Amino acid sequence: MLVRLELDVDLDDVDNLLERTNLLTPGELTELAWRAVAMIDERTARGRDADGDAFERYSEAYARRRRRRGRSRRVNLIDTGVMLGAMQGGYEGNAALVFFANQSAGEIADFHTSDRPRSVMPRRNFLDIDEDGREAQELGERAAEFIARRFLS
């Protein structure tokens, strides 16, 4: 028997439902979190922030230092790989979480994303998921698939 399921997902409704219930298992939440990590990694490697905009260029001095060390001028937040390599996926309660495996990587990420006053380096918001775009749609649809599968089994 083949059942075809088409979902018209209203992400606000899915998000509200997930916050109030235990409809997703810890394993499903963790899978969603790791997919979010992959999305952030892929987008950041392309030099794009959570809104899809290009990161502001590196300063000339920093770009020269990167070039001397064999790094590209492309703004992708990859230098040593410590910060992005420490991103982890998991869950807490009913929420899928993206977090950092060590404090120093988390502090580097916070420096890039925080709204604190800056003198040199611009803010680069890489850590969010595009709430109104493709990333959020994909995660919302995957969550809906998990829930639908449970009810149709």
Side-chain angles (χ1 to χ4, degrees), residues 65-113:
R65 284 196 308 271
R66 285 179 58 86
R67 202 171 31 250
R68 281 194 298 268
R69 291 181 313 182
R71 304 276 187 240
S72 83
R73 294 180 62 108
R74 174 182 224 146
V75 182
N76 58 14
L77 308 186
I78 299 170
D79 187 23
T80 64
V82 169
M83 178 184 72
L84 293 175
M87 254 194 311
Q88 304 284 302
Y91 75 97
E92 184 174 290
N94 296 331
L97 297 177
V98 173
F99 61 94
F100 290 89
N102 63 62
Q103 183 176 348
S104 64
E107 289 171 355
I108 295 167
D110 182 59
F111 186 73
H112 280 288
T113 60

Side-chain angles (χ1 to χ4, degrees), residues 11-29:
L11 295 178
D12 289 332
D13 289 343
V14 171
D15 193 41
N16 291 335
L17 182 64
L18 295 177
E19 285 179 11
R20 293 191 315 265
T21 63
N22 291 321
L23 288 177
L24 295 175
T25 67
E28 291 165 343
L29 290 167

Side-chain angles (χ1 to χ4, degrees), residues 3-7 23-25 27-29 31-32 138-153:
V3 175
R4 185 160 199 266
L5 176 66
E6 286 194 32
L7 299 173
L23 288 177
L24 295 175
T25 67
E28 291 165 343
L29 290 167
E31 182 179 321
L32 291 171
E138 180 183 325
L139 293 171
E141 287 174 357
R142 186 71 179 129
E145 288 170 9
F146 287 139
I147 295 165
R149 189 176 319 137
R150 194 164 297 113
F151 287 109
L152 293 175
S153 296

